[in-house]
Amino acid sequence: MTNIRVAVVDDHPLFREGVIRSLGESPGLEIVAEGASGQDAVTIAENDAPDVMLMDISMPGNGLQAIQAVLAAQPDAKIVMLTVSEAGDDLANAVRMGAKGYVLKGIGSQGLAEVVKAVASGQSYIAPSLSARLVETLSRSSEPKHDPFGDLTHREMEVLKLVASGLSNKRIAIALDLHEKTIKHHMTRIFTKLNVTNRTEAALALRDAAREGSERAQARTI
């Protein structure tokens, strides 16, 4: 059988050398390249086309950010993050970006070789101690975000739009045929609901919400 071609990218030379030595002694595995940065990983993908690439997260060029670039250069590559990070966000982001494995650096040499072979065969692997954390993080990120503008009444939204247009409380009161004291009351409630402290922050929040809504609408039409 053809050996599984493996590349190791980690900016700690002693650790990298240890991984290379231990995997090189495992039957069926062949180390074809090594690197120390995200850019190295992309170059290796382009020039050496390994079957499996082991990458650290915390290295120059950021291992997470390099995932998509590596896959763009070599779509068939199987990426395994080999890291000390147990952060749920790091794990979830690695999976979202296309990594097929996520392994903690405390793993033994035999266990790592088995992970490489499993991933090369088309399986995915997440360190058992992190599986529940991945589910929790993905579930949390999939929950719809609360829209504070949904808490505003129709009248409060009218007031906010006029604030965003630059009108003073007195001018808003005239425009809506209300007392200025009533406008001040609406402003207090708007500040509380949007968790802002002044008119400028409220206007910026409305502008940002409008921009995000426009971007989502454009994305749906693409």
Side-chain angles (χ1 to χ4, degrees), residues 50-124:
D51 300 311
V52 177
M53 182 179 292
L54 298 175
M55 286 203 307
D56 190 13
I57 288 179
S58 301
M59 63 180 181
N62 191 304
L64 286 176
Q65 294 179 5
I67 293 174
Q68 292 178 324
V70 168
L71 293 176
Q74 186 194 354
D76 293 332
K78 306 294 194 304
I79 297 175
V80 176
M81 307 310 293
L82 181 56
T83 177
V84 297
S85 175
E86 298 184 39
D89 288 341
D90 283 344
L91 172 56
N93 286 332
V95 171
R96 289 191 189 103
M97 291 179 183
K100 298 301 182 183
Y102 196 97
V103 183
L104 298 177
K105 285 188 173 181
I107 191 171
S109 57
Q110 182 178 348
L112 182 58
E114 292 174 353
V115 169
V116 170
K117 293 175 182 178
V119 170
S121 71
Q123 301 178 47
S124 296

Side-chain angles (χ1 to χ4, degrees), residues 144-178:
K145 294 182 179 179
H146 174 66
D147 177 15
F149 291 93
D151 295 334
L152 299 182
T153 65
H154 176 71
R155 178 65 80 186
E156 289 166 352
M157 183 59 77
E158 284 184 318
V159 171
L160 179 56
K161 289 179 178 178
L162 292 174
V163 168
S165 71
L167 295 186
S168 65
N169 285 353
K170 183 176 181 180
R171 296 292 299 275
I172 294 172
I174 294 172
L176 298 179
D177 194 24
L178 297 171

